C-alpha cells in the first residue's frame, strides 16, 4: 500500500504540476537573463579556474565539485537506463531540454545563495534557499519547511537510491545472494561513509575534488570508446531519440509512462536544477562576486546532463543490447558494457557506479548538514551532529535492502516537494540576481575583475558579506 501511494503521488507531481513549473521557470529565466546559459558559458569555464578569494571558504572549483558530486551519481547511470527502459529513447531529448532550460534556474538560485550567504564564526560562509527565503521574504516557516525537505530528500531519499543501486550492481556476479549480499554491501558502505562524514564539510570537499574529476573523465573515456566501436549504430541512435521524443500519439496515450515524464523526472533527479540543493554548496564559495558562483553551478548542470548523462545514453543505445522493462536500472548498463567490453565491462560499470554513488552519498550529506544548521539557528552541537551522522549511516544501510520502485519514487516525491518550494521563491526573488548579473557584465566590459557591493544593485536587504 505504501509503494502504491508513493508511486501515485509521484505520478501526480510529475504528470502535471512539476512539468509546468520546471519548464515554465526555466523558460522565464532563460528569457530574463537573455539565455545566460549560452552567452556566458565560456565565462563560466574561466571563473571555475580562479582561486578562492578567502582561504577560510571553498574555492569555486571545490564548490563545483561538491555540487557535482551530488549531481553526478546513480541518476547518471541507473537513472538514465530506467528512463529509456520505461519511457523510450525520446526520454533523452526531454532530459536535455530540462537541463538546458534548468541551467538558467540554477544560475539564479546559486547567485541568490551567494548574495544572501551568512558568515560563520571562522570567517567562512554558508547559506542556501532557507537563508535567502528568510533574508528576503522574511518567512521563517517557509525556510524551516525547505530545510526539513532538504534533509529528508538528500540524507533520506537520494541516499537510499544511491545505496540501493550500489548493492543492486552486484546482481551481475555469481556470488550474489539475495538474502546476504545487499546487507553485506550496505554494512561496508555505511562504515566507509561514516568515516568520511565524521571528518566534516572541509573533509567532504577534499574527497570530492579528487574523486569527481577522476571518475568523470574515466567514465566518459570508456563510454566514448563503446560508442566509437559501434559507430554504425550512431545514425539509428539519434533517429530513435528524436522520433520517439515527438511521437505525441504514443506520449499522450500513456502519459505517466511516457518519454516526456521519464525524461523530465530522471533529468531533474540527475541535474537538480531549480530544486534548491546546489545553492547550499554555492553559498560556501569564497568569490568576489555572486554571479561567479551562479556561473559555476550553471556549468555543473552542463557537466552532469549534457556530458555524463549523454555519455550513458549513447553508450546504452549504441551497445546493440535492446532496452526492456526487465532490464531497467543497472542490469541494462552492465549488459551493454559487457556486450562491448566483455567481463571488464561489467566490472568497470560496477566500480564506476560505486565511485559515482559514493561521492553522491557524501555530497548529499553536506546538503543535509546545511539544513540541520538552519533548523538549529547555528552550528549544531557535537552530540546532535554525531547523532545526525549516525542516522545518515543507518539510512545508507537501509537503502541497500529496499525495493526498487519504493526507493526511486520516494526520492522523486521528496525532491518534487523541494522544487515546489524553491521554484516559486526564486521567481519572486529573481530581481536581485538579474541586477547582479547586469552589474557583473558592466564591470567585465570595463575590463575589471568584478567585485560586488550590495548598494550597486540597490539591495535593501541586510547581508553579511557585501556591504
Amino acid at each position: 500500500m505504501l509503494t502504491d501511494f508513493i508511486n501515485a503521488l509521484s505520478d501526480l507531481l510529475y504528470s502535471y504540476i512539476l512539468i509546468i513549473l520546471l519548464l515554465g521557470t526555466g523558460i522565464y529565466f532563460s528569457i530574463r537573463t537573455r539565455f545566460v546559459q549560452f552567452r556566458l558559458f565560456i565565462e563560466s569555464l574561466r571563473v571555475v579556474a580562479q582561486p578562492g578569494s578567502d582561504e577560510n571558504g571553498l574555492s569555486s572549483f571545490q564548490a563545483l565539485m561538491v555540487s557535482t558530486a551530488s549531481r553526478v551519481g546513480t541518476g547518471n547511470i541507473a537513472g538514465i537506463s530506467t528512463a529509456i527502459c520505461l519511457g523510450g529513447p525520446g526520454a533523452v531529448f526531454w532530459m536535455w531540454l530540462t537541463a538546458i532550460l534548468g541551467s538558467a534556474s540554477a544560475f539564479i538560485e546559486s547567485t541568490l545563495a551567494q548574495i544572501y550567504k551568512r558568515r560563520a564564526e571562522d570567517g567562512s560562509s554558508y547559506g542556501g534557499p532557507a537563508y535567502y527565503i528568510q533574508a528576503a521574504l522574511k518567512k521563517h516557516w517557509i525556510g524551516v519547511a525547505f530545510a526539513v525537505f532538504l534533509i529528508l530528500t538528500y540524507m533520506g531519499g537520494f541516499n537510499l537510491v544511491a545505496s540501493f543501486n550500489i548493492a543492486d550492481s552486484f546482481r551481475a556476479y555469481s556470488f550474489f545472494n539475495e538474502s546476504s549480499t545487499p546487507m553485506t554491501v550496505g554494512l561496508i558502505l555505511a562504515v566507509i561513509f561514516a568515516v568520511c562524514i565524521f571528518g566534516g564539510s572541509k573533509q567532504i570537499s577534499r574527497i570530492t575534488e579528487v574523486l569527481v574529476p577522476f571518475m568523470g573523465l574515466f567514465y566518459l573515456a570508456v563510454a566514448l570508446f563503446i560508442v566509437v566501436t559501434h559507430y554504425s549504430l550512431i545514425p539509428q541512435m539519434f533517429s530513435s531519440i528524436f522520433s520517439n521524443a515527438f511521437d505525441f500519439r504514443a506520449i499522450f496515450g500513456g502519459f505517466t509512462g511516457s518519454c516526456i515524464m521519464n525524461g523530465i523526472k530522471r533529468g531533474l533527479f540527475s541535474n537538480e536544477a531549480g530544486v534548491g540543493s546546489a545553492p547550499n554548496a554555492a553559498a560556501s564559495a569564497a568569490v568576489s562576486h555572486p554571479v561567479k558562483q551562479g556561473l559555476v553551478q550553471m556549468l555543473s548542470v552542463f557537466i552532469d546532463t549534457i556530458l555524463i548523462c549523454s555519455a550513458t545514453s549513447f553508450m546504452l543505445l549504441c551497445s546493440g543490447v535492446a532496452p526492456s522493462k526487465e532490464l531497467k536500472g543497472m542490469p541494462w548498463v552492465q549488459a551493454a558494457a559487457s556486450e562491448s567490453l566483455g567481463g571488464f565491462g561489467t566490472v568497470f560499470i560496477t566500480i564506476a557506479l560505486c565511485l559515482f554513488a559514493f561521492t553522491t552519498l557524501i555530497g548529499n550529506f553536506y546538503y543535509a548538514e546545511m539544513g540541520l544548521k538552519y533548523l538549529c539557528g547555528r552550528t549544531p552541537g557535537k552530540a546532535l551532529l554525531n547523532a545526525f551522522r549516525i542516522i545518515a549511516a543507518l539510512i545508507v544501510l537501509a537503502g541497500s535492502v529496499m525495493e526498487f520502485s519504493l526507493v526511486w519514487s520516494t526520492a522523486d516525491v521528496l525532491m518534487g516537494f523541494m522544487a515546489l518550494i524553491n521554484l516559486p521563491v526564486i521567481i519572486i526573488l529573481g530581481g536581485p540576481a538579474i541586477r547582479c548579473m547586469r552589474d557583473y557584465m558592466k564591470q567585465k566590459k570595463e575590463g575589471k575583475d568584478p567585485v560586488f557591493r550590495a548598494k550597486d544593485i540597490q539591495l535593501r536587504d541586510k547581508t553579511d558579506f557585501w556591504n
Side-chain angles (χ1 to χ4, degrees), residues 46-47 50 60 287-296 440 449-450:
R46 190 190 68 78
V47 166
Q50 290 184 334
S60 290
V287 291
S288 65
H289 200 288
V291 165
K292 290 183 176 182
Q293 199 49 219
L295 293 173
V296 166
Y440 183 87
D449 180 18

Side-chain angles (χ1 to χ4, degrees), residues 15 28 59 70 155 163 185 258 272 283 360 395 420 449 460:
S15 296
Y28 172 71
S59 68
S70 177
M155 194 172 84
S163 177
V185 172
S258 70
E272 303 169 22
T360 295
I395 288 171
L420 284 177
D449 180 18
R460 297 177 181 177

Side-chain angles (χ1 to χ4, degrees), residues 22 66-73 75-76 98-99 102-103 105-106 109 150 153-154 158 264-279 300-301 304-305 360 363-364 367 415 418-419 422-423:
L22 276 167
V66 170
S67 61
T68 304
S70 177
R71 283 190 171 112
V72 177
N76 299 79
T98 302
S103 57
S105 304
E109 65 181 356
L150 178 69
T153 302
Y154 283 85
F158 282 13
I264 290 176
K265 188 186 289 188
R266 297 279 68 83
L268 179 62
F269 181 90
S270 180
N271 65 55
E272 303 169 22
V275 171
S277 55
S300 183
V301 175
D304 172 89
T305 305
T360 295
N364 287 349
Y367 292 156
M415 174 181 61
M418 274 183 67
N422 188 59
L423 288 169

Side-chain angles (χ1 to χ4, degrees), residues 214-263:
F214 168 76
M215 71 182 187
L217 290 172
F218 191 50
Y219 182 76
L220 287 172
V222 172
L224 180 62
F225 174 80
I226 293 174
V227 172
V228 169
T229 54
H230 293 77
Y231 66 91
S232 61
L233 295 175
I234 293 176
Q236 178 187 331
M237 175 190 73
F238 281 108
S239 173
S240 63
I241 289 173
F242 289 104
S243 62
N244 183 244
F246 296 101
D247 184 356
F248 292 113
R249 180 177 295 181
I251 288 169
F252 292 105
F255 190 76
T256 57
S258 70
C259 63
I260 294 181
M261 182 169 151
N262 276 284

Side-chain angles (χ1 to χ4, degrees), residues 369-381:
E369 204 172 83
M370 293 300 104
L372 180 66
K373 182 178 286 189
Y374 179 82
L375 293 177
C376 294
R378 55 182 173 79
T379 301

Side-chain angles (χ1 to χ4, degrees), residues 34 39-40 289 291 434-451 453 456-458:
R34 293 186 296 126
R39 281 194 308 120
L40 297 183
H289 200 288
V291 165
I434 300 293
R435 295 197 301 273
C436 201
M437 181 192 71
R438 291 171 182 157
D439 175 69
Y440 183 87
M441 294 307 298
K442 177 175 176 286
Q443 292 190 52
K444 285 293 294 181
K445 287 177 181 176
E446 294 170 353
K448 300 176 181 176
D449 180 18
V451 175
R453 292 179 300 177
D456 291 340
I457 63 166
Q458 293 78 52

